[in-house]
Amino acid sequence: MSRNKKSIENKIKKLISESPFFQTITFGSSVIISGILCGAFVNELTVNNKVQWLNAYKVLPTYLIAIYLIIVYWYTKLLYEERTEIMKFADNDYFAAYARRELLLEILLKSRELIRENRTNELTQFKDIIDFESLLNHEKNKGQDKS
């Protein structure tokens, strides 16, 4: 059930982040809905041209506004999480760590292929992710320690 919920959230995040139209419709709808709810709230509380604040907990619009605020919070949180995830990749250290974690196996397999084909000069394309020189020096030093 949790996996299904995450899947739905990811689909909504993708829809939100990739669709300015959806964001515009959501914003326009939220303005209209909040106006209607606030108008209904004030209308329900007004008796003889005076607002009866003590009756706020007795009227339905109070609870509809609370539910609406929870939905707005959830939507805003999705936007925030999506933008935060994107901004993380602007940080070089985060990006390098992410690439190491996600791509390390592929990089190592490609590096092994390049080394076997004696094309070590092409290893520089991965230098921001893996420090091959320190790895190679470590192996050389390791071999020298044994002699």
Side-chain angles (χ1 to χ4, degrees), residues 42-54:
V42 170
N43 189 38
E44 291 280 330
L45 290 180
T46 304
V47 178
N48 296 329
N49 291 330
K50 292 188 179 184
V51 178
Q52 305 293 322
W53 291 107
L54 296 176

Side-chain angles (χ1 to χ4, degrees), residues 85-134:
E85 285 299 312
I86 292 169
M87 289 306 296
K88 285 181 183 177
F89 287 97
D91 178 26
N92 289 336
D93 293 335
Y94 177 84
F95 182 74
Y98 175 83
R100 265 189 230 102
R101 185 181 79 232
E102 297 296 322
L103 303 173
L104 186 59
L105 180 61
E106 292 178 40
I107 291 171
L108 291 174
L109 292 173
K110 180 66 176 174
S111 301
R112 181 173 66 182
E113 178 184 318
L114 292 173
I115 291 169
R116 285 184 178 167
E117 294 173 1
N118 202 21
R119 296 168 36 203
T120 55
N121 59 330
E122 293 179 39
L123 290 175
T124 58
Q125 61 187 330
F126 306 120
K127 70 178 179 189
D128 290 337
I129 299 170
I130 300 175
D131 185 3
F132 286 102
E133 287 193 27
S134 69

Side-chain angles (χ1 to χ4, degrees), residues 15-120:
L15 178 67
I16 290 169
S17 66
E18 294 180 359
S19 175
F21 177 75
F22 180 77
Q23 290 180 6
T24 304
I25 293 299
T26 304
F27 173 73
S29 299
S30 71
V31 170
I32 293 168
I33 291 169
S34 64
I36 291 170
L37 288 175
C38 288
F41 178 74
V42 170
N43 189 38
E44 291 280 330
L45 290 180
T46 304
V47 178
N48 296 329
N49 291 330
K50 292 188 179 184
V51 178
Q52 305 293 322
W53 291 107
L54 296 176
N55 294 331
Y57 70 94
K58 296 179 183 177
V59 296
L60 178 63
T62 301
Y63 302 103
L64 293 177
I65 289 171
I67 291 168
Y68 171 73
L69 287 175
I70 291 169
I71 293 170
V72 169
Y73 169 78
W74 179 73
Y75 173 77
T76 306
K77 182 180 171 195
L78 286 177
L79 287 177
Y80 172 78
E81 288 173 352
E82 181 69 19
R83 290 183 182 134
T84 302
E85 285 299 312
I86 292 169
M87 289 306 296
K88 285 181 183 177
F89 287 97
D91 178 26
N92 289 336
D93 293 335
Y94 177 84
F95 182 74
Y98 175 83
R100 265 189 230 102
R101 185 181 79 232
E102 297 296 322
L103 303 173
L104 186 59
L105 180 61
E106 292 178 40
I107 291 171
L108 291 174
L109 292 173
K110 180 66 176 174
S111 301
R112 181 173 66 182
E113 178 184 318
L114 292 173
I115 291 169
R116 285 184 178 167
E117 294 173 1
N118 202 21
R119 296 168 36 203
T120 55

